[in-house]
Amino acid sequence: MTWSDVIGQEEVRQRLQQMVDEDRLPHAIMLCGPQGVGKLAIAVAFASQLLGENNAMVRRLEHPDLHFTYPTIKLPSMSADHKPVSDDFAREWHELIMQGPYFSMDQWLAAIGAENQQAIITAGESDELVRKLSLKSSQGGYKVSIVWLPERMNGECANKLLKLIEEPPLHTVFLMACEEPDKLLETIRSRVQRIDVKCIPEDTLCQALVSRRGIDDQQARRVARIANGSWLRALQELQAGTENEQFLDLFILLMRQAYMRNVKELRRWSDTMATFGREKQKRFLHYFLHMIRESFMYNFKTPELCYMSQQEENFARNFARFINEDNIIAINDLINLAIRDIGQNANAKIVFFDIALQMIVLLIP
């Protein structure tokens, strides 16, 4: 896996290359940015460069000096005292990443059959890293540790990793692909070289869609616009029957029943939402925020400010007038609170029924 697998991000590549050329490569680099912009792809490409792109083991991502760390779950088959580690899911990880370095937490959870669980990086993982990185490099060069979504480390793991970063083994480079750096310990953030990975320009996305997915220029431009800088979102838009279509149907149902003050149907809606796994519930809530924001912007009649699919726009055409200066902040606060509550394992039926009831009041013209 090389730099040719990365969509855009030439500025980041040049910055990393300059560090190598000037012999000032830091021992810990944190690539920060939103989902789908290529943080993991950059980390893998740079690791491959450091370890030798022509090495067959590197191309297969099976080099003994390349280590991956990622969120895991506890399987029923694991003993009570076992702390899950990345190696427990090495086969699933390898299969997924070899398909391409652009995938989401949701796809990862689906790959390990854990859509109803929240994945974390445990203290057992930091113990494994200490053991692995204490060994000498098998090839006499760098040892590279790629940490995907380090913000999902639990407290014990984060503190152990901090000690490892403070006193790194010789010739070891940590590459972290992070979406929510504010959730990391400040002491970790202060000890890494942060590089912000920006959204992919629309023209670059469009060119990649045409060259890599073989679609015509007109369709590529619409998909690239909706993707809003994310290659992952662009790929999702190309797939028929995406999850967003289901989310749009649920969003429309909620808004219509709330407008009609149909409490019985709203209760049924909340019961349906409660059947989803927590990760999917959070994805829906983020989609909810997306639709509220786009509906609000639709009122300004400025197409370049809106990022909706044709189906979303068709609904917003009549719905947008209900989202205005009087309620958008309250709705935004309501959904962000729900995201927090779901993340803290609150009762989903209560959370979603509360949303439904409050939307009755918030949608009043």
Side-chain angles (χ1 to χ4, degrees):
M1 206 163 286
T2 66
W3 285 106
S4 63
D5 296 296
V6 180
I7 310 295
Q9 307 301 355
E10 180 61 21
E11 183 179 335
V12 176
R13 188 196 69 79
Q14 290 180 2
R15 184 174 174 183
L16 291 170
Q17 184 60 52
Q18 186 177 9
M19 291 176 178
V20 174
D21 293 343
E22 296 177 357
D23 195 25
R24 55 179 185 85
L25 183 64
H27 66 273
I29 297 173
M30 187 164 68
L31 302 162
C32 300
Q35 186 182 85
V37 297
K39 304 177 296 298
L40 180 60
I42 292 168
V44 174
F46 189 49
S48 298
Q49 176 183 333
L50 294 176
L51 294 173
E53 294 176 354
N54 296 324
N55 187 306
M57 290 185 295
V58 172
R59 290 197 297 270
R60 296 194 303 268
L61 300 184
E62 295 175 341
H63 195 285
D65 295 324
L66 175 61
H67 308 285
F68 287 102
T69 291
Y70 36 84
T72 59
I73 61 164
K74 188 152 190 172
L75 297 173
S77 58
M78 295 175 178
S79 64
D81 59 346
H82 178 70
K83 297 177 180 178
V85 295
S86 296
D87 283 352
D88 293 332
F89 301 91
R91 178 181 58 82
E92 292 86 351
W93 175 264
H94 190 259
E95 289 177 356
L96 186 60
I97 198 170
M98 288 303 290
Q99 295 172 21
Y102 291 84
F103 53 86
S104 65
M105 169 56 69
D106 313 319
Q107 290 171 287
W108 170 234
L109 290 175
I112 60 177
E115 292 174 294
N116 292 328
Q117 296 188 51
Q118 297 193 68
I120 63 170
I121 302 176
T122 70
E125 184 65 35
S126 52
D127 293 336
E128 274 294 287
L129 273 179
V130 170
R131 182 187 65 80
K132 291 176 180 178
L133 298 178
S134 64
L135 302 174
K136 289 185 62 176
S137 166
S138 67
Q139 307 292 309
Y142 284 107
K143 292 176 289 183
V144 182
S145 174
I146 295 178
V147 183
W148 183 56
L149 304 183
E151 61 267 36
R152 290 200 173 230
M153 291 186 292
N154 64 17
E156 188 180 357
C157 177
N159 282 301
K160 288 184 176 181
L161 183 64
L162 172 61
K163 293 181 180 179
L164 196 57
I165 292 175
E166 287 178 330
E167 300 177 8
L170 192 64
H171 299 309
T172 297
V173 177
F174 290 93
L175 301 175
M176 303 182 186
C178 183
E179 292 178 3
E180 298 176 285
D182 289 344
K183 291 185 177 180
L184 275 169
L185 292 176
E186 169 59 31
T187 44
I188 289 181
R189 298 202 304 269
S190 66
R191 285 165 174 75
V192 301
Q193 175 73 55
R194 173 170 173 165
I195 297 179
D196 289 314
V197 183
K198 300 176 183 177
C199 291
I200 305 168
E202 192 172 309
D203 286 344
T204 303
L205 278 177
C206 185
Q207 293 168 11
L209 286 165
V210 172
S211 62
R212 299 183 185 221
R213 290 298 181 266
I215 63 176
D216 62 70
D217 186 71
Q218 184 176 359
Q219 183 188 6
R221 291 201 174 279
R222 181 169 184 86
V223 170
R225 176 163 182 73
I226 295 170
N228 196 21
S230 168
W231 177 247
L232 185 58
R233 175 79 188 276
L235 295 180
Q236 291 170 344
E237 286 296 324
L238 290 179
Q239 297 172 1
T242 61
E243 188 177 66
N244 278 1
E245 293 177 7
Q246 180 190 21
F247 286 169
L248 176 60
D249 289 340
L250 288 164
F251 181 82
I252 292 173
L253 179 61
L254 170 62
M255 295 306 161
R256 286 177 175 167
Q257 299 304 326
Y259 181 77
M260 293 187 291
R261 304 185 182 188
N262 191 333
V263 176
K264 182 178 179 181
E265 287 302 316
L266 289 173
R267 182 59 180 267
R268 186 174 298 173
W269 177 88
S270 62
D271 288 345
T272 298
M273 293 303 307
T275 64
F276 297 157
R278 292 196 177 270
E279 293 295 338
K280 187 171 183 178
Q281 289 167 355
K282 288 192 289 186
R283 294 199 301 274
F284 170 77
L285 292 170
H286 282 292
Y287 178 83
F288 192 116
L289 290 175
H290 157 75
M291 282 301 297
I292 292 299
R293 184 264 180 198
E294 299 306 325
S295 297
F296 180 70
M297 298 306 296
Y298 190 87
N299 292 315
F300 293 94
K301 308 299 181 185
T302 310
E304 61 268 22
L305 296 179
C306 296
Y307 299 87
M308 289 186 282
S309 68
Q310 190 62 59
Q311 293 86 348
E312 291 169 344
E313 190 174 333
N314 290 342
F315 176 68
R317 191 172 293 118
N318 295 317
F319 171 71
R321 61 192 174 93
F322 293 99
I323 306 301
N324 49 58
E325 293 89 345
D326 293 331
N327 63 10
I328 187 169
I329 293 177
I331 294 174
N332 187 75
D333 290 346
L334 172 66
I335 302 308
N336 277 308
L337 180 61
I339 291 172
R340 187 204 68 182
D341 289 343
I342 291 297
Q344 294 178 352
N345 296 319
N347 186 301
K349 284 187 179 181
I350 294 175
V351 171
F352 284 101
F353 193 45
D354 179 61
I355 290 173
L357 294 179
Q358 292 205 48
M359 287 309 300
I360 292 177
V361 178
L362 291 168
L363 287 179
I364 293 176

